[in-house]
Amino acid sequence: MYIFNHLLVATDCSERAERAEARAALLVQEHKCDVAELLTVRECGEPEILAQIMNSTVASATALVAENAGRVLAYRADVHKDNYGVQFTCKVRFGRPASEIVIRAEELRTDLVVIGAHGGNFFSDLLLGNTADKLTHLCKSPLLVVKNKPSQSYQRVLVPVDFSEDSRRAAEAALAIAPQADITFLHAFEVLFEGKMQYANVAPDIIDEYRMKAFEDAREQLNQLIGGIEAGGRRMQRAITFGLPGPVVRDYAKATRPDLIVLGKHGRSRIEEMLLGSVTRDAIDQTESDVLVVPAAGGT
């Protein structure tokens, strides 16, 4: 069972990051977290550039950048204390953002990392990956990517499942992070070799029989998955849809507008995801919902 007690918020103090900070503050309030930290990471080359401009030492420039960043974080922490009654500690680090966030998360034994969703240049994201995308691969803790300005706790949560152990972990994380929310479990199913049957001109009614059998098998497996989860008497909805997982999740989220999508991350390599597509990345890039990514057991 997941317990969200140690929480790390990675922020660049932008408007999008402010949404993530506010969501994190709500979660700290709701879960009564013992550890809650605002972390900002400055690029390691920034002090060197500033030192040249100021004609000073790198050490002096580093101290100045850290002081200014710390002052901004402290102000943000005070705002969240006034608005939500929660206390954040503040930390400034230098280096590559994704790497430093992961290191700090491990130092704090973080139960949840929260970050704002960032848009960007398509080609640079494709070649280099943005921070959120990198963290979905590197982070060993659940990662919450926040897109929306929060007004209340999560109320409608969508959990796409494929009946794997990763799906079960995602279901448990969804129940834990949103204890008051309505949960919908969504499964996308296909018929094995349907394309080949169509190519071979198999009669449509025979293909429909195969689809019905696949649907019934999926419903049975979904009931088994839900039946094995400690839900505390909460009502959980089921949805089974024919199609590929990525488009099914995207279209279902567009139609139902959940506050949060929770996904269990499989241990595939980045090359496999580039070639085959990633439901996780599609959910982050192509839906309007916040996305919680739950890593596979033992990390990514």
Side-chain angles (χ1 to χ4, degrees):
M1 187 66 181
Y2 282 89
I3 298 176
F4 295 106
N5 192 38
H6 291 194
L7 188 148
L8 176 66
V9 191
T11 177
D12 62 5
C13 300
S14 64
E15 180 181 351
R16 287 168 294 192
E18 186 175 2
R19 300 170 194 167
E21 295 169 22
R23 172 57 69 184
L26 273 174
L27 290 170
V28 171
Q29 184 185 68
E30 185 173 12
H31 293 271
K32 298 178 173 56
C33 299
D34 290 334
V35 175
E37 180 173 286
L38 295 178
L39 167 70
T40 193
V41 181
R42 309 304 294 260
E43 294 288 346
C44 54
E46 185 176 346
E48 284 81 354
I49 296 172
L50 183 60
Q52 293 179 2
I53 295 173
M54 297 176 57
N55 195 26
S56 67
T57 65
V58 173
S60 297
T62 300
L64 180 61
V65 172
E67 180 182 354
N68 288 338
R71 187 180 299 115
V72 173
L73 282 184
Y75 168 77
R76 304 283 279 250
D78 286 343
V79 169
H80 298 311
K81 183 177 181 180
D82 291 341
N83 290 341
Y84 301 99
V86 302
Q87 183 67 58
F88 285 104
T89 58
C90 301
K91 187 77 171 179
V92 180
R93 296 185 79 141
F94 291 85
R96 295 182 176 180
S99 298
E100 293 300 325
I101 292 167
V102 170
I103 291 170
R104 187 57 179 162
E106 293 178 357
E107 290 173 351
L108 293 176
R109 299 179 181 271
T110 302
D111 302 312
L112 181 67
V113 175
V114 183
I115 188 170
H118 283 240
N121 180 275
F122 171 79
F123 293 104
S124 65
D125 284 352
L126 181 64
L127 294 173
L128 302 176
N130 59 29
T131 299
D133 182 50
K134 290 178 181 178
L135 285 173
T136 62
H137 298 280
L138 297 174
C139 196
K140 296 180 181 179
S141 306
L143 173 70
L144 177 61
V145 182
V146 177
K147 305 177 187 180
N148 303 294
K149 183 177 181 180
S151 59
Q152 59 182 341
S153 300
Y154 288 122
Q155 300 296 308
R156 301 181 311 281
V157 178
L158 176 64
V159 187
V161 295
D162 60 6
F163 313 131
S164 64
E165 175 63 18
D166 300 314
S167 291
R168 187 189 64 78
R169 290 169 58 83
E172 292 179 347
L175 291 167
I177 199 170
Q180 307 302 322
D182 293 330
I183 308 288
T184 298
F185 293 96
L186 171 66
H187 176 68
F189 77 97
E190 298 178 88
V191 175
L192 192 62
F193 305 127
E194 178 172 343
K196 292 184 178 180
M197 287 191 288
Q198 291 175 339
Y199 182 78
N201 292 319
V202 174
D205 57 339
I206 294 178
I207 295 177
D208 287 342
E209 288 180 12
Y210 277 100
R211 279 195 182 185
M212 184 59 67
K213 177 63 165 58
F215 177 87
E216 292 298 332
D217 290 344
R219 183 170 64 176
E220 182 178 347
Q221 288 180 282
L222 184 55
N223 288 336
Q224 289 177 356
L225 175 69
I226 294 175
I229 297 171
E230 289 291 336
R234 293 169 59 181
R235 186 172 64 90
M236 294 179 286
Q237 300 180 38
R238 301 157 174 80
I240 302 172
T241 301
F242 176 78
L244 295 171
V248 165
V249 172
R250 181 191 63 225
D251 293 345
Y252 194 90
K254 183 177 180 179
T256 60
R257 297 186 177 277
D259 303 317
L260 177 68
I261 299 173
V262 182
L263 291 156
K265 188 172 188 320
H266 296 291
R268 286 203 307 232
S269 70
R270 297 202 69 173
I271 296 298
E272 287 178 301
E273 291 194 353
M274 288 176 64
L275 294 175
L276 302 176
S278 166
V279 177
T280 301
R281 186 163 190 172
D282 284 351
I284 292 174
D285 292 344
Q286 299 183 30
T287 75
E288 298 180 359
S289 307
D290 293 355
V291 178
L292 175 64
V293 183
V294 182
T300 56

